Amino acid sequence: MSFLRSADVGYRRFLMTDRILDIQNLKTYFHTQEGVIRAVDGVYLSVRRRKALGIVGESGCGKSITSLSVLQVIPSPGRIVDGRVLFYPEAESDRPVDLAQLKRHGRELRRIRGKDISLVFQEPMVALSPVYTVGNQIIEALRLHEPHSKRRARELAVEMLDKVGIPNPDVMVDRYTFELSGGMRQRALIAMALVCGPKLLIADEPTTAIDVTIQAQILDLIRSLQTDMDMSVMLITHDLGVIAEMVDDIVVMYLGKVVESGSLHDIFDRASHPYTVALQRSIPRFQRRGQPLEVIRGNVPDPYTRPQGCEFAERCPKAMNRCFQDKPAMAEVGDRHSAKCFLFTDEVESAPGREANVR
Amino acid sequence: MASYIVRRVLMMIPLLVLVSGVIFIVIQLPPGDYVSRHVARLEMEGVVTHEAEIEALKRRYGLDRPVHEQYLLWVRAMLRGDFGYSFAVRRPVLSVVAERLPYSIIISVATLLFSWVVAFLVGTYTATRQYSPGDYIASFLGFLGLATPNFMLALILMWIMYSVFGFTVGGLFSPEYQDAPWTMGRVLDLLKHLIIPVIVVGTAGTAGSIRILRANLLDELNKPYVITAEAKGVPPFRRLCKYPLRVALIPFTSTVGWELPNIVSGETITAVVLSLPTVGPMLLRALVDQDMFLAGSLILFLSLLTLVGTLVSDLLLAWLDPRIRYDR
Ligand SMILES: Nc1ncnc2c1ncn2[C@@H]1O[C@H](COP(=O)(O)OP(=O)(O)OP(=O)(O)O)[C@@H](O)[C@H]1O
Ligand SMILES: [Mg+2]
């Protein structure tokens, strides 16, 4: 019996490789006076250990809020209302920590923030405090989690600044953010996120605010640090070009839901969901030569109401009658490749209870 | 930082020159010179004056010289501690002012501290608990405080203190301490008498400061850098103090400069109602009497208070906000 069980675990691991983060049916809502904004509305995704997952989607589809929900650092009045954020610090065979169940201001979650899971925020120009030096903020991050002396912490901070490619790190450590360029701030932010050697790095559009040459440097930097430090990465961007160079897996989000997920090649070469296809056609880099650039028609519906049927139906070139009535279930379209569309399934999305989440 | 302080202090010199110039003009404004006015007044009272005496007075104040020399003489005299003569009180200005200015400064500073502490605590509380019952209650009281005229508040508090505690408010000392030497008992008596003036004078300013701090803090609380701090594991209270609160205090601090003269002028009516020995009522009387040396000196001291206030607030600001001290 025990033999069977261990064989079973081994088999499962072989099947789905080791995951470090597994988000199930995550719902993060903003309860405002005007109504409820369902910023994240039942997201499923997982990050494989030492791999990079990319999250893509139009502006406002809930990428940032998904990433902020992992560490429960959601701007008010946002709140996680349902779902699980399972974190496997060492191996998937361990018991996971459900981050969504921890208290937002509690000690347990604080121990994970910045230590096991780090966040590089979307806007480098404002993500560091203007009234403390770069060093002060990095040293704070370090000493919150590791008992270094001030001097040692400073040395480590300088080392980290050097590692992310900031010139004269021993001078820059005493600089304020307003004395740094956008690229340097982004590097400083990354240095701060990496200083405790996190197992998972969540980078939210780490390159939008900076110019193209530096973009490439920063991406290279994240990639090389990923291998050096044995890190898993969750990378958020609406730039499919960035994704192509950085990630192993992709999830495509639309209106707070994942509409397609798969490996880089699945999504790029065998995009299944009409939204993914449209998204690719709207980006110059992925255009075959001579083909005109397309704009995804229609607009994102207003945030307070959700259509009865498929969220994308209104804008979908392949919409069928039933798309306006029912919501499709996530359907397998290949090995580890699935899409949420009636083109591939007849099943209707079930409101998942707790049972359905347990695998 | 050191170079900033030096630059900032040096900047006060031209300001002082400017202010003293304006005040000199104010002193000169009434028609005729003040010696003639003084003589006229004496004569109206039936006092016999001698030509030689008048000439001596005029020479003493340099009234026979050109205006710019008069100004320099006036400044030089002040630097030596001679602020002129109050013709209304018939004493040197300095001794008149010295009796009252310290109390004005004590009340102003105490009011400022009271206003800050209360505004800081209430502002922080209401911003972090936005839309809670406490927030609504504080806001209601705040608006009430803004809207109630000072003298009315003074009268109400006086009545309450008298009818509930049997404590007569008025003046800064109880009769037994009025002319007593400085002892612990006298200090305590002073503090006891300070409570009401401080509340009365400070309420409106405090209510305003609460609104300012609350609004600033609400702006800061959801800023990305605060979320960054939370995401790296900074505990809630420390995060609040170190990140959003510090930035929210910046505009709050810059109000000190003009808060001080506001307090002094706001204090005048209260001082009349509560019969406080401060400079407010005295300035009013000096202006009515055209006692220009006294009025000028009082305005000068108040301006100096303002300049020092702005200096303090600027130094605090520079300490709070590196963007200011590195701005060259
Ligand atoms: N502080 C907030 N209050 C209310 N609603 C919010 C707040 N922040 C985000 N939202 C809502 O959540 C939704 C998802 O926002 P999110 O920032 O996750 O989008 P995103 O995919 O990251 O977009 P972008 O590509 O522009 O960064 C948005 O539609 C927005 O309306
Ligand atoms: Mg975003």
Side-chain angles (χ1 to χ4, degrees):
Chain A
M1 201 57 200
S2 69
F3 163 73
L4 261 184
R5 183 170 298 158
S6 64
D8 183 41
V9 168
Y11 176 66
R12 273 173 52 190
R13 234 202 256 174
F14 164 76
L15 255 192
M16 46 201 204
T17 73
D18 190 16
R19 289 175 300 185
I20 186 166
L21 188 76
D22 188 23
I23 297 181
Q24 299 176 353
N25 193 32
L26 178 68
K27 294 186 180 174
T28 303
Y29 293 175
F30 289 84
H31 295 267
T32 67
Q33 268 156 357
E34 289 80 35
V36 179
I37 298 179
R38 298 157 196 266
V40 178
D41 199 16
V43 158
Y44 288 84
L45 62 83
S46 37
V47 183
R48 291 188 289 156
R49 201 174 297 280
R50 290 185 205 90
K51 303 277 187 208
L53 170 79
I55 305 184
V56 288
E58 278 170 298
S59 187
C61 68
K63 305 182 296 290
S64 296
I65 303 298
T66 302
S67 69
L68 295 178
S69 299
V70 171
L71 288 176
Q72 284 195 45
V73 289
I74 311 152
S76 71
R79 229 160 37 81
I80 295 183
V81 294
D82 197 8
R84 303 172 169 212
V85 178
L86 301 180
F87 175 54
Y88 300 87
E90 300 304 334
E92 206 183 327
S93 48
D94 292 345
R95 262 178 72 88
V97 190
D98 186 352
L99 300 179
Q101 291 299 315
L102 299 181
K103 279 205 208 74
R104 174 168 187 170
H105 297 295
R107 187 180 296 261
E108 279 171 279
L109 197 52
R110 271 206 315 271
R111 265 208 292 265
I112 292 170
R113 288 177 184 157
K115 168 79 180 143
D116 292 330
I117 302 178
S118 279
L119 208 100
V120 176
F121 210 65
Q122 186 163 4
E123 299 141 77
M125 306 310 270
V126 288
L128 284 165
S129 168
V131 297
Y132 297 98
T133 60
V134 169
N136 176 309
Q137 297 177 64
I138 298 181
I139 290 166
E140 180 185 33
L142 187 60
R143 286 181 25 114
L144 277 168
H145 300 290
E146 291 168 22
H148 295 296
S149 71
K150 280 197 178 140
R151 252 188 62 209
R152 179 79 190 120
R154 195 188 146 87
E155 285 168 17
L156 289 170
V158 171
E159 232 168 73
M160 202 64 231
L161 287 176
D162 190 33
K163 219 179 213 170
V164 297
I166 291 184
N168 304 326
D170 46 342
V171 179
M172 298 305 257
V173 74
D174 293 320
R175 289 285 163 85
Y176 290 91
T177 50
F178 57 86
E179 300 176 280
L180 305 185
S181 67
M184 285 301 135
R185 282 186 215 192
Q186 187 68 69
R187 282 160 192 261
L189 206 56
I190 293 176
M192 189 167 86
L194 295 180
V195 76
C196 291
K199 300 184 169 84
L200 173 63
L201 175 74
I202 301 176
D204 190 353
E205 314 239 7
T207 55
T208 29
I210 48 195
D211 66 79
V212 186
T213 46
I214 299 165
Q215 259 186 34
Q217 288 174 23
I218 298 236
L219 293 175
D220 281 346
L221 172 74
I222 294 181
R223 205 162 30 186
S224 69
L225 290 172
Q226 186 194 349
T227 36
D228 287 358
M229 300 174 82
D230 255 358
M231 206 165 57
S232 315
V233 173
M234 187 163 137
L235 180 73
I236 293 159
T237 172
H238 44 230
D239 185 344
L240 283 180
V242 168
I243 286 274
E245 291 170 23
M246 293 287 297
V247 306
D248 306 286
D249 304 322
I250 299 183
V251 301
V252 182
M253 280 185 71
Y254 185 73
L255 281 191
K257 288 196 162 86
V258 172
V259 294
E260 182 163 359
S261 69
S263 70
L264 177 67
H265 295 294
D266 289 336
I267 304 293
F268 272 68
D269 304 336
R270 291 181 288 279
S272 304
H273 198 285
Y275 176 67
T276 315
V277 175
L279 196 63
Q280 286 180 357
R281 290 217 181 117
S282 68
I283 291 170
R285 256 181 105 149
F286 292 86
Q287 269 309 104
R288 282 189 204 103
R289 272 161 180 255
Q291 241 174 338
L293 207 61
E294 284 171 39
V295 176
I296 307 182
R297 62 188 178 133
N299 284 313
V300 179
D302 95 273
Y304 300 107
T305 48
R306 285 287 182 260
Q308 186 196 351
C310 169
E311 281 81 1
F312 189 57
E314 288 282 326
R315 306 169 68 190
C316 183
K318 296 187 177 169
M320 304 169 282
N321 276 343
R322 74 171 302 191
C323 297
F324 294 93
Q325 264 102 54
D326 300 319
K327 291 186 197 301
M330 201 70 170
E332 300 258 319
V333 291
D335 182 29
R336 291 202 314 113
H337 180 192
S338 33
K340 196 178 178 61
C341 179
F342 282 128
L343 290 175
F344 313 104
T345 181
D346 281 335
E347 270 178 63
V348 174
E349 178 186 49
S350 58
R354 282 261 115 151
E355 289 331 298
N357 296 336
V358 184
R359 289 221 227 161
Chain B
M1 188 73 187
S3 84
Y4 175 82
I5 296 177
V6 171
R7 265 184 300 144
R8 185 58 189 75
V9 171
L10 285 182
M11 237 172 70
M12 285 188 58
I13 295 172
L15 277 176
L16 270 177
V17 171
L18 205 68
V19 166
S20 65
V22 169
I23 290 170
F24 183 72
I25 293 171
V26 169
I27 295 180
Q28 302 281 328
L29 271 184
D33 61 65
Y34 29 85
V35 172
S36 324
R37 280 200 310 278
H38 179 52
V39 170
R41 192 158 31 195
L42 288 181
E43 275 168 0
M44 250 166 51
E45 290 170 13
V47 181
V48 185
T49 50
H50 299 284
E51 205 49 38
E53 217 176 282
I54 296 172
E55 279 311 306
L57 265 178
K58 284 197 170 182
R59 251 201 317 283
R60 183 167 163 218
Y61 293 112
L63 293 184
D64 45 354
R65 312 255 190 104
V67 177
H68 65 274
E69 276 185 41
Q70 287 186 34
Y71 169 73
L72 290 177
L73 277 175
W74 178 65
V75 170
R76 205 171 68 191
M78 280 194 304
L79 289 178
R80 288 208 217 95
D82 176 8
F83 286 81
Y85 190 79
S86 163
F87 295 111
V89 194
R90 300 204 183 141
R91 273 164 54 199
V93 165
L94 191 62
S95 78
V96 183
V97 172
E99 268 170 21
R100 291 186 166 230
L101 195 64
Y103 295 121
S104 275
I105 293 178
I106 289 177
I107 291 184
S108 305
V109 171
T111 304
L112 202 62
L113 289 180
F114 161 81
S115 166
W116 270 16
V117 171
V118 173
F120 177 77
L121 294 177
V122 179
T124 307
Y125 175 85
T126 52
T128 50
R129 305 252 188 304
Q130 193 187 9
Y131 303 137
S132 69
D135 180 25
Y136 284 119
I137 292 170
S139 298
F140 174 73
L141 290 179
F143 283 125
L144 211 60
L146 269 177
T148 316
N150 278 357
F151 71 90
M152 190 146 118
L153 193 61
L155 290 173
I156 295 172
L157 284 179
M158 270 168 89
W159 176 73
I160 292 177
M161 286 305 260
Y162 183 72
S163 56
V164 179
F165 302 105
F167 176 69
T168 326
V169 198
L172 279 179
F173 296 101
S174 310
E176 65 267 31
Y177 283 112
Q178 193 64 57
D179 296 310
W182 281 104
T183 56
M184 205 56 209
R186 194 170 189 237
V187 171
L188 286 179
D189 189 57
L190 175 64
L191 287 180
K192 207 163 69 183
H193 281 81
L194 270 180
I195 295 173
I196 297 224
V198 161
I199 292 178
V200 170
V201 180
T203 302
T206 309
S209 300
I210 290 175
R211 302 307 299 174
I212 294 177
L213 182 64
R214 179 176 179 276
N216 288 330
L217 193 52
L218 280 175
D219 269 355
E220 293 301 318
L221 278 177
N222 266 329
K223 286 268 174 78
Y225 70 90
V226 184
I227 297 191
T228 307
E230 188 175 13
K232 71 185 182 188
V234 185
F237 185 69
R238 173 160 155 208
R239 171 162 43 89
L240 175 70
C241 297
K242 180 170 174 180
Y243 292 96
L245 200 51
R246 175 155 171 177
V247 177
L249 280 180
I250 290 172
F252 190 60
T253 315
S254 54
T255 61
V256 204
W258 43 266
E259 194 94 330
L260 268 179
N262 262 357
I263 288 174
V264 173
S265 54
E267 166 238 44
T268 305
I269 296 175
T270 314
V272 172
V273 176
L274 293 174
S275 58
L276 303 175
T278 58
V279 295
M282 183 186 249
L283 175 59
L284 189 63
R285 199 150 14 89
L287 286 170
V288 171
D289 293 348
Q290 291 203 356
D291 189 356
M292 293 327 278
F293 269 124
L294 183 55
S297 305
L298 285 177
I299 295 174
L300 190 70
F301 285 123
L302 296 184
S303 312
L304 203 62
L305 206 59
T306 312
L307 286 183
V308 171
T310 35
L311 176 71
V312 170
S313 84
D314 278 3
L315 292 183
L316 271 177
L317 271 181
W319 172 69
L320 278 174
D321 189 350
R323 285 169 292 190
I324 292 174
R325 68 180 179 260
Y326 282 77
D327 186 32
R328 277 168 250 263

